[in-house]
Structures are given as C-alpha cells and as structure tokens.
Amino acid sequence: MLDDLMPHPAAFCNIRWDVVVANEAYEALFPGRMEIGNAIRWLFAPAGRKAVLNWEAEAASDVGRMRGILAHFGNPAVGIELLAELQHDPDFAVLWLRREVSYDRPVEEPQHINTDSGPVTVTMRLQSMPARLDWLHLCVGVVRPYSGSRKIVSPASH
C-alpha cells in the first residue's frame, strides 16, 4: 500500500513514533529515520538535526505533540520507555520540562526539510487506525517547493 502512494513519502508509525514500515520516498526525505527506527530519536540525532530546517521550533513542536499523544493514551509503558531513552539528550530534556502540550500539526504549519536537491516544504497528514491495531497511524506527506523563510536556519548550527 505504501508503494502505491509513491511519489509521496508515506509510513506507518505507532504511538511511540516508531517507524514500522515506510516507502522509498519517506526514507529519501528523512534519511536514516528507518535505520534509527523512531521519528523523535531521529530528530534529536545528527541526521535529524541536519535535515530539519528551523530545528529548534520543530523539536519544540514535536516534543509538545509527543507529550500530548502520550497523555491522551494514559502514558503507556512504550512511551515511558522512549522517555527513558531521550531524557539523556539535554536539548530534549529542556523541551520536555517546558511542559508544553500540543496535538496534530496544523495544515498551515508545514515542515521544511533540507534535501540533497535543496530545501523543500512538506505537509504531513496522519490517519489513525483503530486501537486494536497497536495505535498505528499512516503518515503521508506532500512535498512542494520550499516556501519557508528566505533566511534558512543552518542545520549545521545544531
């Protein structure tokens, strides 16, 4: 099914933001994410810091959404395990301690990703599956020409 969504990046992720399976376009857009296996761990790893433009804002947004999702599902053990892994990253710890909560990214708030071909703007949409399917959600992205700030925050500054 994910291959049928090509050329759009698509993946199935679970409540913990583990990337269960993804298509080639997803891996090309987020290099190394499948290898790391988790979108949040990838964001705080060198690969994510390099790929995500305006990293500080993206990291704060993702940590707030992580907090909201985990609270919504009653802080499941798999979420607590991920927190135990991430708490040692000082940037993650600072953001987590802000106690900000958010949920899905608004459509008008796309991501800006640095690719080998230059920056692009990505709108990701999620479709949640029933709880009996291990809280899976389908993530599908639409990649467009870059529409962010003319001043691109250098990924190398992280």
Side-chain angles (χ1 to χ4, degrees):
M1 181 178 102
L2 295 177
D3 289 340
D4 290 341
L5 292 169
M6 291 289 285
H8 300 288
F12 278 105
C13 299
N14 63 20
I15 190 174
R16 197 179 118 111
W17 294 26
D18 292 330
V19 181
V20 178
V21 63
N23 66 15
E24 289 179 25
Y26 186 91
E27 179 59 23
L29 184 63
F30 303 111
R33 194 177 269 187
M34 284 297 298
E35 181 181 338
I36 289 173
N38 179 277
I40 295 288
R41 282 199 327 252
W42 175 85
L43 179 65
F44 284 88
R49 292 172 187 260
K50 179 181 177 190
V52 176
L53 300 174
N54 199 10
W55 185 87
E56 289 89 358
E58 284 295 323
S61 177
D62 283 358
V63 169
R65 282 198 315 279
M66 180 183 168
R67 180 183 284 281
I69 290 167
L70 293 180
H72 175 77
F73 287 103
N75 295 318
V78 294
I80 302 303
E81 291 168 9
L82 181 59
L83 285 175
E85 294 173 32
L86 292 168
Q87 70 181 347
H88 303 292
D89 182 295
D91 293 325
F92 178 86
V94 165
L95 294 172
W96 187 260
L97 292 174
R98 286 183 186 171
R99 299 188 182 278
E100 294 174 358
V101 177
S102 60
Y103 293 94
D104 199 10
R105 173 188 300 275
V107 173
E108 65 275 2
E109 184 186 316
Q111 292 177 289
H112 303 291
I113 305 295
N114 190 34
T115 70
D116 291 340
S117 302
V120 295
T121 295
V122 181
T123 303
M124 295 293 288
R125 300 311 308 156
L126 305 178
Q127 174 63 50
S128 296
M129 303 298 164
R132 67 182 179 277
L133 295 177
D134 196 27
W135 297 308
L136 287 178
H137 53 269
L138 172 64
C139 308
V140 180
V142 176
V143 180
R144 300 181 314 278
Y146 181 69
S147 66
S149 169
R150 296 220 185 272
K151 179 185 174 211
I152 298 174
V153 177
S154 170
S157 66
H158 307 290

